[in-house]
Amino acid sequence: MTDILIVDDERDIRELISDILIDEGYKTRLAGTSDAAMRQIADQRPAMLVLDIWLKDSAMDGIDILKSVKANYPDIPVVIISGHGNIEIAVAAIKQGAFDFIEKPFNIDQLIVVIKRAMEVANLRSENSVLRNQYHQPLEMIGQSAVYKILKINLDKVTKSNGRVLLTGSSGVGKETATRYIHANSNRGHTPLVVVNCASLDAETAEAKLFGVESGAKALQVGLLEAANNGILFFDEIADLPLAVQGKLLRVLVDQSFTRVDGSVAQKVDIRVISATARNLAEEIEAGTFREELFHRLNVVPIVVPNLAERREDIAFLAEHFLAEFHEKLGLPKRTLSEDAATSLESMVWPGNIRQLKNMMERVLIMGPQNALIETEELPSNTGVGDSKDGQIVLSGSVATHSLREARELFEREYLLTQINRFGGNISRTASFVGMERSALHRKLKSLGVVTSNRSGGRVASLDE
């Protein structure tokens, strides 16, 4: 769907416009009557419509066609042209959903600018529509833990308002998914959701990308704010927004309007703003890299998205969801977790949170066999044993699937082997370090199946070598 349908009762005009657009790299189709136009639209939906208001010897005029197209294909941008243009006709066309209005005889440069602008906005909205469809299912926004249920309640509350939301949480916890959930369930669910990746913006180009660039009172480059009009604008990693742009964004939030780069006329917008960050904005404010006034404007409703470590009850549940999703959408093998594998996942450390879990499940399906249960041995080891930030011990998968007695023996064996090798096989030094008598250490090593030579510094081995 890359062609532009040109509808005009004057053959010379429609062919002239076609030649201009072909030179600009577009494909075109032509129609001289309303019947021909409606047939072509029904046969193959165009990417865009250039439509004359007055159509001689036609059952419908341009406004009638505009109404029909907007009723059946609301995403198709329509540019109205007319040799009898006046302000009343322009206002009527815009009210019926026309993207813009150009009078005959038209300026070629003006026509090209309007066409490009309309295509850019259409493409942005099409991309966001695809993303909305991809994320229409909950994806990571599923769970059964108490922590998840609290998060879900908070998100449901903010869907019912237009208040600004600031989502905080570590990388990979699902802040963007939470945003898409808010959008899909809000009164703006049918409008654009435009994502601004603040980490990818640099100080030199950020303003143009956000606000657009103007040329002769027309948008030469459509900005993200304009593309998000009537919808939601999501600032991902807002702490990375260049400081020079933060003040201008603050003004947009206050006035609900902005001025394009090189422009002079304020553009009114109706946008709901949702922001997310993995950083501590209070520290950024203290360091002078984030404006305090902007923080207060964004932080109307703060919501913390919990780490996966706080949702351990959800880990196996999420993993099974991802496995089913990869089978359905990517055609990967249909497999499920064994009980031991599920236990191992719940015991691992997840610095990458839900994103890391999802990637691991995809890797297991790609690298593993075509069927059978997923066993613990197939799961990549991510940390072994580690301490969480609150002092709780997180066990490795190899320990978590054993009984207490077996787990204790496994830990003691690995720990003592590590210490003996650390001291080059010297039992006396090892015993001193671990706080045991030398004879007691020998008995413990023997009970654990670890054999040593009698010589200090000699070889240390386990019975299964």
Side-chain angles (χ1 to χ4, degrees), residues 130-244:
V130 170
L131 288 173
R132 286 202 305 273
N133 290 334
Q134 288 177 346
Y135 283 85
H136 190 67
Q137 294 180 346
L139 294 180
E140 293 96 338
M141 276 304 306
I142 59 174
Q144 53 194 8
S145 65
V147 172
Y148 164 78
K149 290 175 182 176
I150 292 172
L151 171 65
K152 181 81 162 27
I153 289 171
N154 289 334
L155 294 178
D156 286 335
K157 287 179 180 178
V158 298
T159 61
K160 298 176 176 63
S161 75
N162 283 316
R164 299 182 194 116
V165 179
L166 178 61
L167 300 166
T168 57
S170 302
S171 177
V173 294
K175 297 188 290 294
E176 183 171 341
T177 301
T179 299
R180 296 188 184 280
Y181 179 85
I182 295 171
H183 172 251
N185 292 281
S186 72
N187 59 1
R188 296 177 184 250
H190 62 288
T191 64
L193 169 61
V194 176
V195 178
V196 182
N197 183 1
C198 297
S200 69
L201 297 177
D202 56 68
E204 290 74 26
T205 61
E207 191 175 347
K209 288 182 179 179
L210 285 176
F211 304 110
V213 180
E214 189 169 295
S215 175
K218 293 290 184 180
L220 183 62
Q221 175 184 324
V222 175
L224 294 173
L225 271 77
E226 199 164 347
N229 191 27
N230 297 316
I232 291 179
L233 192 62
F234 173 51
F235 287 94
D236 192 17
E237 292 306 330
I238 187 69
D240 290 320
L241 189 67
L243 190 60

Side-chain angles (χ1 to χ4, degrees), residues 111-148:
L111 174 69
I112 292 172
V113 167
V114 171
I115 296 294
K116 285 184 176 180
R117 179 188 172 204
M119 290 296 289
E120 285 177 0
V121 171
N123 289 337
L124 279 171
R125 290 182 173 171
S126 175
E127 290 170 6
N128 279 282
S129 176
V130 170
L131 288 173
R132 286 202 305 273
N133 290 334
Q134 288 177 346
Y135 283 85
H136 190 67
Q137 294 180 346
L139 294 180
E140 293 96 338
M141 276 304 306
I142 59 174
Q144 53 194 8
S145 65
V147 172
Y148 164 78

Side-chain angles (χ1 to χ4, degrees), residues 37 43 73 78 96 128 134 168 174 186 211 238 277 323 360 384 404 429:
D43 290 343
Y73 311 100
V78 179
Q96 295 297 332
N128 279 282
Q134 288 177 346
T168 57
S186 72
F211 304 110
I238 187 69
T277 182
L323 292 171
M360 181 185 288
L404 176 60
R429 292 177 63 194

Side-chain angles (χ1 to χ4, degrees), residues 17 105 155 197 214 247 255 279 297 373 417 425:
I17 294 174
L155 294 178
N197 183 1
E214 189 169 295
D255 296 339
R279 283 153 56 185
R297 289 283 177 179
L373 290 175
L417 275 171

Side-chain angles (χ1 to χ4, degrees), residues 320-340:
E320 291 287 5
H321 169 78
F322 294 138
L323 292 171
E325 182 180 66
F326 289 135
H327 168 69
E328 179 182 343
K329 294 185 177 180
L330 302 182
L332 292 173
K334 186 176 183 179
R335 304 181 67 197
T336 60
L337 296 167
S338 69
E339 187 175 340
D340 282 353

